[in-house]
Amino acid sequence: MSHTNIHPGDALLLVDVQNDFLPGGALAVPEGDAVIAPLNHALAVFLRHRLPVFASRDWHPPGHCSFRQQGGPWPPHCVAGTPGAAFASKLNLPCEALILSKATAAEQDAYSAFAGTELAALARARGVTRFVVGGLATDYCVLNTVKDALAAGFQVWLLEDAIRAVNVRPGDGERAVAEMQRLGARLIHAEDLAP
Ligand code: VGL
Ligand code: ZN
């Protein structure tokens, strides 16, 4: 079995692991719940090493511009404060996790965890140079978060067993992964993270 070692400078970044993106949710990602077990493993490893954990959440006002009634592409989802916007209950998110709420303004959408948040500054203040990234959805918020991380000069290890795609068009998830790799992200498996 191959091992991947994490070091000081690494941070775990969980993207939008929220009820509305899980099976039964308002914008269910196929197999979205499959990310939880590998992410819980990654969480345990990062906590053991006392390395930072960040978690983004889609946190829309009612009537957000991305909702169909407003002419957007999506059913209403992740309305701030509702059960659908809550983090998956089976995700072992520690109380020390730093939470980034995004797309909180009615007239703007934001797929990236860096968009309009303090993520880059909070990470730099903690000496972060590399993000280990997993969550939902591969072809939207994970893709845009990873692009922004790389553009901001962070390295990225993408947890390929801890991401799932919406696949509005078949193959969107695979194309997103290829794009992230092309831009410099390295694929790893959560279960390979050495304890
Ligand atoms: C997302 C669609 C709409 C995501 C958020 O988290 O990937 N996708 N809002
Ligand atoms: Zn959204």
Side-chain angles (χ1 to χ4, degrees):
M1 144 167 159
S2 66
H3 269 151
T4 306
N5 291 302
I6 57 167
H7 306 99
D10 291 337
L12 183 60
L13 175 51
L14 310 182
V15 178
D16 298 9
V17 187
Q18 294 168 271
N19 289 324
D20 272 344
F21 296 126
L22 303 185
L27 210 177
V29 177
E31 299 177 8
D33 50 344
V35 306
I36 295 174
L39 291 179
N40 280 340
H41 175 73
L43 278 163
V45 175
F46 273 78
L47 285 188
R48 213 178 75 80
H49 288 256
R50 299 183 178 281
L51 291 173
V53 173
F54 296 91
S56 70
R57 61 185 181 187
D58 216 26
W59 201 247
H60 300 315
H64 187 251
C65 63
S66 76
F67 298 170
R68 278 182 194 138
Q69 276 192 315
Q70 278 66 41
W74 307 113
H77 63 279
C78 296
V79 173
T82 64
F87 289 115
S89 56
K90 288 182 179 154
L91 188 70
N92 298 329
L93 201 62
C95 55
E96 310 93 286
L98 292 143
I99 313 272
L100 295 313
S101 301
K102 66 179 174 60
T104 60
E107 64 285 356
Q108 231 182 357
D109 205 4
Y111 290 135
S112 165
F114 290 90
T117 74
E118 296 296 305
L119 177 54
L122 290 169
R124 289 206 179 95
R126 283 161 181 75
V128 173
T129 57
R130 176 164 54 213
F131 284 109
V132 176
V133 180
L136 302 168
T138 309
D139 36 359
Y140 293 93
C141 289
V142 172
L143 171 64
N144 285 278
T145 296
V146 166
K147 280 179 158 181
D148 279 356
L150 293 166
F154 297 99
Q155 292 182 275
V156 172
W157 285 356
L158 181 62
L159 294 166
E160 68 169 328
D161 52 339
I163 54 176
R164 288 295 184 282
V166 182
N167 284 322
V168 170
R169 292 162 301 258
D172 279 354
E174 285 164 43
R175 281 187 291 274
V177 170
E179 168 84 346
M180 291 185 272
Q181 280 188 287
R182 185 182 68 77
L183 293 170
R186 179 185 148 192
L187 300 190
I188 66 166
H189 285 93
E191 306 294 349
D192 289 341
L193 289 170

